[in-house]
Amino acid sequence: MVKHVESLGLKANVIQGSERTVIAAVGEERVDGVSTLESGPGVDEVLPILAPYKLASRELKADTSIVTAGSLSVGGVQIGMIAGPCSVETEEQIVACAKAVKKAGATALRGGAFKPRTSPYSFQGLKEEGLRMLATAREETGLAVVTEVIAPDDVELVGKYADVLQIGARNMQNYRLLEACGKSHRAVLLKRGPSATIDELLLAAEYILDGGNPKVLLCERGIRTFESHTRFTLPLATVPYLQSKTHLPVVVDPSHGTGHTNLVTAMAKAGIAAGADGLIVEVHPDPAHAKSDGYQTLDFKAFEKLMAECRRIAEAVDRTL
Ligand code: PEP
Ligand code: MN
């Protein structure tokens, strides 16, 4: 059937389920000969996928995908907890952070080595040196590493050190970057652009899936509105909405979503209550002296408290943390 699909000029994407196998025939909508698929061997039915995104659509795959990368698993009963500093600053800082967040129950370590900054004069990250520090922190703790990649040419380098490639909000529609991550065998955390619609987010994810990489996590990290009491506005209805439209797991970022340390824990809890499959939270040994995003970062003690409070919410919605 794959050959048959390909002979029509369509791409065949095979999704093995527990009860049935789906062959997603992706390409131009109006091709001749689609009806000839119906009589093929083993074919139960041929259905059009109505959503503009095909591979990301729940119409294609009813079960939520579980994305696994080292110690991190997102999409199952257990909520994935990614925690760590905005930026990797020193080996001591990232290793201390990894140990503290692991002890509190985090399942992955975050930390930016390549930083996309609004101002060219702001700290740009330690680049490969930072990636090496992240690898050391992984060796010391066993935590999977989530770190940002900002350019297509860096995907190979970042992929050598990272377990999960983070595509930042500013790069959500960098199509060459999406394509490069589609070719990687690393999982990808795709953050929503601050002015992107949910359909645009899903179509950005579609680029990665279409490139052959099925391991995609979507992240709601807040959007830009007229409101200024928070850095961004964190729309949590995104979580159940996305879950109705896609099988990809959904992660919430209450740090960038609020921009204020004192609002992070409440919105982390709200994210879990809304059904998030994972959270990504900024944690630093000394937020007041962090090189980036200190104003929205938790110290170790506050993160422990967040974990304890989130566990109770998780239990209430039949999840574990
Ligand atoms: C970050 O995670 O530190 C970051 C830069 O996030 P975003 O791309 O969502 O702004
Ligand atoms: Mn940050």
Side-chain angles (χ1 to χ4, degrees):
M1 285 316 296
V2 167
K3 283 206 185 105
H4 191 152
V5 167
E6 286 170 351
S7 75
L8 299 174
L10 299 167
K11 212 162 162 185
N13 220 300
V14 181
I15 296 129
Q16 220 98 38
S18 50
E19 308 222 326
R20 60 181 194 169
T21 301
V22 175
I23 303 173
V26 187
E28 284 291 326
E29 265 163 57
R30 263 168 262 286
V31 286
D32 292 332
V34 170
S35 58
T36 64
L37 292 168
E38 234 140 37
S39 53
V43 176
D44 176 26
E45 52 184 349
V46 178
L47 294 170
I49 296 173
L50 300 175
Y53 37 88
K54 309 295 176 189
L55 302 175
S57 166
R58 229 198 240 270
E59 294 173 63
L60 181 79
K61 185 169 178 282
D63 302 330
T64 300
S65 292
I66 298 180
V67 173
T68 305
S71 62
L72 179 68
S73 174
V74 190
V77 172
Q78 197 192 353
I79 292 166
M81 175 58 85
I82 307 161
C86 180
S87 302
V88 181
E89 297 168 5
T90 64
E91 190 175 301
E92 297 72 53
Q93 173 240 21
I94 195 66
V95 170
C97 228
K99 287 182 177 163
V101 300
K102 185 181 178 177
K103 190 160 162 261
T107 49
L109 175 68
R110 64 151 289 148
F114 289 90
K115 294 302 300 177
R117 303 306 301 279
T118 302
S119 163
Y121 307 121
S122 300
F123 176 60
Q124 302 287 314
L126 298 179
K127 318 236 160 74
E128 190 168 4
E129 204 191 340
L131 295 175
R132 278 196 288 268
M133 292 173 187
L134 283 163
T136 304
R138 175 177 48 217
E139 269 166 42
E140 300 254 337
T141 59
L143 285 183
V145 164
V146 180
T147 194
E148 183 160 354
V149 57
I150 59 179
D153 288 348
D154 295 339
V155 170
E156 207 182 304
L157 172 73
V158 178
K160 265 196 232 161
Y161 296 92
D163 299 284
V164 180
L165 304 168
Q166 177 177 326
I167 298 180
R170 291 159 189 78
N171 264 317
M172 191 205 85
Q173 286 176 308
N174 180 339
Y175 298 112
R176 297 293 89 77
L177 181 60
L178 297 169
E179 281 168 1
C181 289
K183 290 196 197 97
S184 172
H185 60 283
R186 295 294 181 202
V188 178
L189 175 75
L190 177 63
K191 298 187 91 175
R192 179 186 188 176
S195 53
T197 65
I198 294 182
D199 269 16
E200 285 165 345
L201 170 64
L202 287 165
L203 284 165
E206 189 79 7
Y207 268 86
I208 304 168
L209 300 170
D210 185 51
N213 186 349
K215 294 190 195 175
V216 179
L217 301 165
L218 302 173
C219 180
E220 175 56 83
R221 46 78 74 211
I223 54 173
R224 186 150 276 180
T225 68
F226 57 83
E227 191 51 78
S228 59
H229 70 292
T230 49
R231 185 179 177 192
F232 294 97
T233 295
L234 186 61
L236 288 176
T238 302
V239 178
Y241 181 81
L242 274 175
Q243 287 168 338
S244 73
K245 297 291 176 191
T246 178
H247 55 87
L248 299 173
V250 181
V251 173
V252 168
D253 178 344
S255 304
H256 294 83
T258 61
H260 295 281
T261 303
N262 63 335
L263 302 179
V264 171
T265 300
M267 295 315 282
K269 289 193 281 186
I272 293 177
D277 301 297
L279 292 179
I280 179 164
V281 178
E282 288 185 335
V283 181
H284 189 288
D286 180 11
H289 295 99
K291 287 203 169 165
S292 57
D293 287 357
Y295 47 80
Q296 63 188 33
T297 297
L298 304 183
D299 62 16
F300 296 163
K301 221 170 132 220
F303 181 65
E304 257 178 57
K305 190 159 171 281
L306 174 149
M307 286 297 290
E309 292 183 23
C310 282
R311 268 192 200 107
R312 298 180 61 202
I313 306 294
E315 197 186 325
V317 293
D318 299 323
R319 308 291 285 262
T320 58
L321 182 65

